[in-house]
Amino acid sequence: MTGHREPPGTQDVPDLRLAGLAVTAWLSALAGLQLGARTAVLVALVAAVAAGAGALHLLGRLGRPAAPVRRHGWIAVAVLLGVVCGASATAARVAVRDAAPVRALVESGATVTADLVVRDDPRAVRGVPGRPAMFLVPVESTRFVGPDGGSVEARVRVLVLATDPAWRGLLPGQRLTAEGRLAPPRGGDLTAAVLRSTRPPAEHGAPPTSQRAAGALRAGLQDACDPLPDEQGGLLPGLVVGDTSRLPSTVEEDFLATGMTHLTAVSGSNVAIIVGAVLLLARWGRAGPWLAAGLCAVALVGFVILVRPSPSVVRAATMGAIGLAALAVGRPRAALPALAAAVTVLVLVDPELAGDAGFALSVLATGGLLLLAPRWRDALRRRRVPAGVAEAVAVPAAAQLACAPVVAGISGTVSLVAVPANLLAVPAIAPATVLGVVAAALSPLWPAGAGFLAWLASWPAWWLVTVAHHGARVPAGTLPWPDGAAGALLLSGLTLGLLVAARRPVARRLVAVVAVAAVLGALPVRLVASGWPPAGWVVAACAVGQGDTVVLPVGPGRAVVVDAGPDPAAADRCLRGLGVREVPLLVVSHFHVDHTGGLAGVFRGRRVTTVLIPSWPEPAAGRDLVRAEAAAAPADLVTVPAGWRYRAGGVELTVVGPPYPLRGTRSDPNNNSLVLLATVGGVRILLAGDAETEEQRALLDRPPPGGLRTHVLKVAHHGSAYQDPAFLDAVRPAVALVPVGAGNTYGHPNPAVLGRLARAGARVLRTDVDGDVAVVVRPSGLAVVTRGQDQERPA
């Protein structure tokens, strides 16, 4: 097998001739999305004039001995052309987005009937507790019919926020008509409007054949994974086709914490695995480069059909096709120009990609694999590291380093466990992906065989879940970092500086010594003096969204937990941050989902001995969830009357409410919440559940021994307006904790309630503003510590 040979000495020199064109096209498209069509057109005109003048000047100097000047000059012209192309393409699309007829409908909040084409899979999002589930559906409109019957023809992007379950099963390419109210989009992309719909869509015809085929294969894969455990059965479709609908939120949180979240979405790595498997078979069969590239192209097209040709999949396939182009011509150095050309074309075809974090991660990861991984692999091999080990270390390290600035900008953290975790995950990714793809392809023909292959794939999937689970629990596994564009640019600058400095042996050794010293010096401080949980804490209220999770420390690694909030991942993160490994008592104050939805997160990886529940059995869905989780643990499930006492370690607990069953109130489940009076380290703490005015008055009528006066009050029902003033005056706390979700639609917390508590001398802390909050005991008295604060504050 022969191919084109690179000139001697040039193989290690990266070909960056098109890099300037790609980068400026990308950045100008991003700027155009933010600044609008007029500004983008002006920028394009200025760049076009400058590029034209520069090109004429360079053409006039042809034949003169100034080659280096001309080379640099043509690079500058290419950079200007990138600005012209990116700004022009974006201006054209933004002008369509901001067309006057559509903007008038959006600004008026009109109720319209819209003809739409689905662009991507509907995605379910966690709704507000007590509200219907919501689906996000990216679509493209063809026509709007306004309330007056007037018709507006417009091919613009629209995001549908739907609550009817009929939206769940739609496929990309499906044509439909929907009714709803228009609202302004968030901006920064090509979405022209948001359509809020509560009705089912009217479908017109069938989806495209390719999408129906893909839907059948995806459904077959889900059926094959049904018998598997939840974690592996939910992860495998995510690995293969990006379908995370069954993935437990706790697993998703672990993958995010360990920098492995790219495995749960279709990316260039999926394409590389499938194409690589076909390439190995082709080489085993002694196929030539063109035949091998053709077979890989067929596999690539088939994989795109399987996972559906959505924008993210097309992006991933384009990144994978870069390797095919280099393979076909036998020139590895052609991969970088191919990457630059692909970036340019994708941004010009769809300028919205310029602001997509997934696009940036795909490009950076591919660039890291092309620029850094081969050099690092060869350097390791020169140091007598085995070839397979060198490859396994270099690939995840290069991809992680390239993507780290974007990840830091998004999350505000820098992961110290990402590279080791991804290195440990490498052996399992390819077997799980290949077996999953074969299982999906086989499912329509032989479901039993597909189920067997899915079972085989569940073992490497189990390994990935295990790596993520333990990686997420490494102390100080992530370090705080400035978020947003500033944080991303700062880490980019530091990374580039380190890469440049590391090319010199002396600088490389110095960088290594400084890095090791920094880690060894910072980690003990991070572990010992992280500030969370703070020393001497007696109660903590965690920020888990619109819900409650309150923790009382029993001893090292042990705590009483009161309520679990709405989200398992948030509950697990709360307890993990507090170092809680065992829960001798879990109290569910009542069965609303904002107190029970996160139960799986409390049970995950922890021994829960007893679950205390209220006698009021409604709502039934929450009651059944608690019973199922307790049975699966297993844990004892108990119901007790008012006056029941519990003691463990430093916690003394008494159930004080409800003193008697309450019926016919504004909310019987809330007004039959378990109300607890706890004493921890001499501090009296009243945990009021969601008790409203009726239960609060009942507590005033039948107060517990010693009265209601306490040092700390967990304010009832997220600080709602349903508080009895006499009850608040009777408690008169020094600290009032308000667990509440940011941006909730209930009006929680009520300003008048907070004002009354503050005027009575209470220090009021809200989890939506202050994050996780802990009350601590100091020689000078009570103090409060909020997670992320460097210093405590007196109560």
Side-chain angles (χ1 to χ4, degrees), residues 528-554:
V528 176
S530 63
W532 197 262
W537 68 289
V538 294
V539 61
C542 290
V544 294
Q546 181 66 9
D548 279 18
T549 299
V550 179
V551 186
L552 305 171
V554 170

Side-chain angles (χ1 to χ4, degrees), residues 602-641:
V602 177
F603 281 92
R604 187 163 189 255
R606 299 176 184 87
R607 180 172 177 264
V608 179
T609 306
T610 304
V611 180
L612 175 61
I613 60 174
S615 58
W616 192 263
E618 297 174 351
R623 178 197 65 207
D624 295 342
L625 173 64
V626 175
R627 288 178 175 175
E629 291 289 349
D636 295 333
L637 198 65
V638 299
T639 302
V640 299

Side-chain angles (χ1 to χ4, degrees), residues 169-187:
L170 296 176
L171 295 176
Q174 175 74 60
R175 294 184 175 273
L176 53 91
T177 299
E179 297 181 12
R181 182 179 295 276
L182 293 177
R186 64 178 183 179

Side-chain angles (χ1 to χ4, degrees), residues 99-323:
V102 176
R103 175 176 285 188
L105 289 173
V106 172
E107 291 179 348
S108 65
T111 299
V112 300
T113 301
D115 294 334
L116 308 170
V117 180
V118 179
R119 296 180 56 241
D120 205 348
D121 291 304
R123 181 166 60 91
V125 296
R126 297 186 183 94
V128 176
R131 300 284 184 89
M134 182 174 291
F135 303 96
L136 303 182
V137 190
V139 300
E140 185 177 76
S141 70
T142 57
R143 185 176 64 139
F144 294 106
V145 178
D148 58 355
S151 177
V152 175
E153 304 288 335
R155 297 193 69 87
V156 294
R157 295 183 182 181
V158 178
L159 180 65
V160 178
L161 302 183
T163 55
D164 194 283
W167 289 87
R168 180 193 296 270
L170 296 176
L171 295 176
Q174 175 74 60
R175 294 184 175 273
L176 53 91
T177 299
E179 297 181 12
R181 182 179 295 276
L182 293 177
R186 64 178 183 179
D189 55 23
L190 292 178
T191 302
V194 173
L195 180 69
R196 300 181 181 273
S197 176
T198 58
R199 299 182 179 182
E203 302 179 21
H204 303 306
T209 303
S210 62
Q211 299 290 359
R212 294 202 304 273
L217 294 175
R218 292 162 69 95
L221 178 61
Q222 285 282 13
D223 291 341
C225 293
D226 275 343
L228 302 177
D230 289 343
E231 294 179 338
Q232 294 96 293
L235 176 61
L236 196 56
L239 281 172
V240 176
V241 296
D243 181 1
T244 58
S245 57
R246 284 184 51 200
L247 184 66
S249 56
T250 48
V251 177
E252 191 172 2
E253 185 75 16
D254 287 346
F255 271 66
L256 179 62
T258 52
M260 296 168 59
T261 188
H262 60 281
L263 298 179
T264 61
V266 177
S267 66
S269 62
N270 301 72
V271 175
I273 289 169
I274 299 303
V275 171
V278 174
L279 182 59
L280 285 175
L281 291 175
R283 287 182 174 175
W284 179 75
R286 299 181 181 277
W290 283 102
L291 178 58
L295 292 174
C296 291
V298 171
L300 184 61
V301 172
F303 181 70
V304 169
I305 292 175
L306 169 64
V307 299
R308 295 183 182 163
S310 63
S312 61
V313 175
V314 172
R315 177 192 71 216
T318 303
M319 296 298 108
I322 293 169

Side-chain angles (χ1 to χ4, degrees), residues 466-758:
T466 301
V467 170
H469 176 74
H470 290 286
R473 282 152 183 77
V474 172
T478 57
L479 298 177
W481 191 265
D483 59 2
L489 291 174
L490 175 60
L491 189 56
S492 298
L494 291 175
T495 302
L496 288 174
L498 290 176
L499 289 174
V500 171
R503 299 182 66 179
R504 298 180 178 274
V506 175
R508 186 163 55 242
R509 295 189 185 98
L510 179 61
V511 168
V513 170
V514 171
V516 171
V519 171
L520 294 179
L523 279 182
V525 175
R526 178 83 172 159
L527 293 171
V528 176
S530 63
W532 197 262
W537 68 289
V538 294
V539 61
C542 290
V544 294
Q546 181 66 9
D548 279 18
T549 299
V550 179
V551 186
L552 305 171
V554 170
R558 303 176 68 234
V560 171
V561 178
V562 182
D563 290 324
D567 179 17
D572 181 40
R573 183 175 59 247
C574 161
L575 299 182
R576 195 188 322 148
L578 292 168
V580 176
R581 300 181 298 276
E582 183 180 346
V583 180
L585 179 66
L586 168 62
V587 181
V588 177
S589 66
H590 63 296
F591 293 125
H592 278 155
V593 70
D594 56 334
H595 295 251
T596 62
L599 277 176
V602 177
F603 281 92
R604 187 163 189 255
R606 299 176 184 87
R607 180 172 177 264
V608 179
T609 306
T610 304
V611 180
L612 175 61
I613 60 174
S615 58
W616 192 263
E618 297 174 351
R623 178 197 65 207
D624 295 342
L625 173 64
V626 175
R627 288 178 175 175
E629 291 289 349
D636 295 333
L637 198 65
V638 299
T639 302
V640 299
W644 179 80
R645 295 177 178 273
Y646 173 85
R647 181 169 184 172
V651 175
E652 297 180 8
L653 195 69
T654 304
V655 176
V656 298
Y660 48 83
L662 294 164
R663 294 178 174 85
T665 67
R666 196 198 74 87
S667 172
D668 286 350
N670 284 349
N671 281 303
N672 285 276
S673 293
L674 292 177
V675 178
L676 310 174
L677 181 61
T679 303
V680 183
V683 177
R684 283 169 59 91
I685 304 162
L686 186 65
L687 307 177
D690 274 6
E692 297 183 352
T693 52
E694 294 91 339
E695 185 174 2
Q696 293 175 9
R697 288 168 186 160
L699 288 168
L700 288 172
D701 292 340
R702 297 186 185 179
L708 291 170
R709 179 72 187 275
T710 56
H711 300 97
V712 180
L713 169 67
K714 196 290 296 183
V715 180
H717 201 186
H718 321 297
S720 76
Y722 302 108
Q723 313 281 339
D724 185 81
F727 175 80
L728 297 179
D729 292 343
V731 177
R732 204 167 61 194
V735 178
L737 305 178
V738 187
V740 62
N744 70 84
T745 58
Y746 302 105
H748 298 163
N750 180 266
V753 170
L754 302 188
R756 187 178 190 93
L757 288 165

